[in-house]
Amino acid sequence: MGGLIFSEFDLMGPTMRILIGWDNPEECDLISLYLGVSENDLVICPTTEEFLEQALDNNSWDIILMTIMSPDPQTAFDHFEQIRQKHLDTPVVGACPTQGTFHVARFLTAGMRAYIIRDEGGDFMFLLETTLQSVVDSVKAERERFVAERLREEIESVRKLQESIIPSDLESPDRFDVTARYESSQIRVFGGQPVTLAGGDYYDVFMLDDENLVLLVGDASGHGMKACMSIMTMHTLVGMIRSNKYLDTAAFVSDVNNRLCNQAIVNDDGGFITLLYGILNAKTNEFQWTSAGAPIPIVHELETNKVYELGSIDDGGLPLGIVPEVEYDIHTSVVPPDSRLLIFTDGLAEAFPGEKETFGEFGIPGIMKSLQESRSNDLETALSNLFRDSNAFTDGSGRHDDTSVVLLGRKN
């Protein structure tokens, strides 16, 4: 392959992998000494032919250093363009004597990242490693910013896709009010900057007929596109099989489960969806519900300020998309006069404190306390307070799971 190879390794490996095309063989040894001290992996080519052969090979380099005057400026420029096509993502730094600086502009316009002025005494070598390292760091930072921006755009697209299926106008029968909210998980990274993650939470509220109001919350495992597509799949099924025969909540959940078990987007890599499907009969005030791994609904009686769950953990049922033909249970409760009914995904309760030495979670006790403290507030404020109190429990670090909440109020 040609060229003089100078490599020094320790347990940490090389700092930079550098290809150098140089036109002064006497300076090659000095360059190898200056750049080899920091365990850089160097390939120094003292002839144009060797340099071009190395540059057009399939090896990868962190940075390429080349003279822009050898064998002449035009040929060097032609070689530079070939190298740029071969190594589009690799920064190239040029070197030229003072009298050749007027050639630099052409190279810079064509994509050369930086240049070095070669003085006759060779003092430029003292700054050679610093210059190359700064270029490598600059390119790395640009790539990280680009990836971060693309990631942010992708997350934002997934988030918008997810939020597009969440209803904005909620119906409620006479004597009842209903409000709901979805919030993406939000964590803080270096520098305290918040990052909103895309997830797979979902809620829906709609009138099944003139008397029956459906209340639904779902949560797909994980984050990102897979979780979003899982919940979109469930949303599509909910829309397809919506009918009066599903006044039986257990039959509805069982049907959704059987269909989701055939959906690879849901159950690949152990994925699943939790679901709380409930129907409120506005005439009898009965709330029939079935849980597939979702948190148990909570009732808040405003007159006594009593808060309680409508069941136990044993009433949770198996999440959707794991095993077909699962039998789910129906639970029936009466929503008392002047009370509130809460259904939610586990992100509300599973808010953890930001301090490492602090343990525990916001949990059901935190939810109940927040409801009690909002006893005199209207429904919207009570819902806002739930999110505020859950998030405050994290000491500013943010909830690590997205959250959906539906809060129903019975007036009398």
Side-chain angles (χ1 to χ4, degrees), residues 156-326:
E156 184 67 10
S157 297
V158 173
R159 185 186 64 80
K160 288 180 179 179
L161 177 64
Q162 178 189 12
E163 291 183 351
S164 69
I165 68 173
I166 296 177
S168 55
D169 298 323
L170 305 182
E171 299 178 272
S172 60
D174 293 339
R175 301 184 299 107
F176 291 90
D177 289 324
V178 65
T179 186
R181 181 189 294 185
Y182 162 78
E183 277 191 8
S184 299
S185 55
Q186 189 178 82
I187 61 174
R188 291 187 178 272
V189 294
F190 296 109
Q193 296 298 315
V195 177
T196 300
L197 303 178
D201 260 33
Y202 166 65
Y203 72 79
D204 205 352
V205 177
F206 57 89
M207 295 296 297
L208 198 59
D209 53 37
D210 292 338
E211 294 182 358
N212 294 289
L213 176 70
V214 168
L215 307 172
L216 169 78
V217 292
D219 180 10
S221 59
H223 293 284
M225 182 61 76
K226 182 180 185 299
C228 177
M229 296 309 297
S230 295
I231 215 69
M232 290 284 289
T233 301
M234 191 189 77
H235 170 71
T236 301
L237 291 177
V238 169
M240 288 174 56
I241 62 181
R242 220 187 256 186
S243 71
N244 287 343
K245 69 178 180 180
Y246 286 110
L247 288 171
D248 183 326
T249 57
F252 175 88
V253 173
S254 179
D255 197 350
V256 172
N257 175 61
N258 289 336
R259 296 176 187 235
L260 287 178
C261 283
N262 296 322
Q263 299 292 328
I265 187 65
V266 175
N267 49 44
D268 273 2
D269 301 320
F272 59 87
I273 296 175
T274 63
L275 173 70
L276 192 292
Y277 181 76
I279 299 176
L280 172 73
N281 186 300
K283 181 177 287 187
T284 65
N285 302 309
E286 285 187 343
F287 179 60
Q288 180 190 126
W289 57 276
T290 297
S291 172
I296 304 303
I298 292 176
V299 166
H300 179 204
E301 297 182 8
L302 298 180
E303 183 176 347
T304 62
N305 210 20
K306 181 181 179 182
V307 183
Y308 53 90
E309 294 179 278
L310 291 180
S312 68
I313 192 172
D314 295 331
D315 300 321
L318 190 70
L320 306 175
I322 299 177
V323 180
E325 304 302 332
V326 175

Side-chain angles (χ1 to χ4, degrees), residues 333-350:
S333 310
V334 174
V335 179
D338 195 25
S339 67
R340 291 169 177 170
L341 171 70
L342 179 75
I343 64 172
F344 57 98
T345 58
D346 57 12
L348 184 67
E350 294 178 357

Side-chain angles (χ1 to χ4, degrees), residues 155 291 382 410:
I155 290 174
S291 172
R410 178 184 169 187

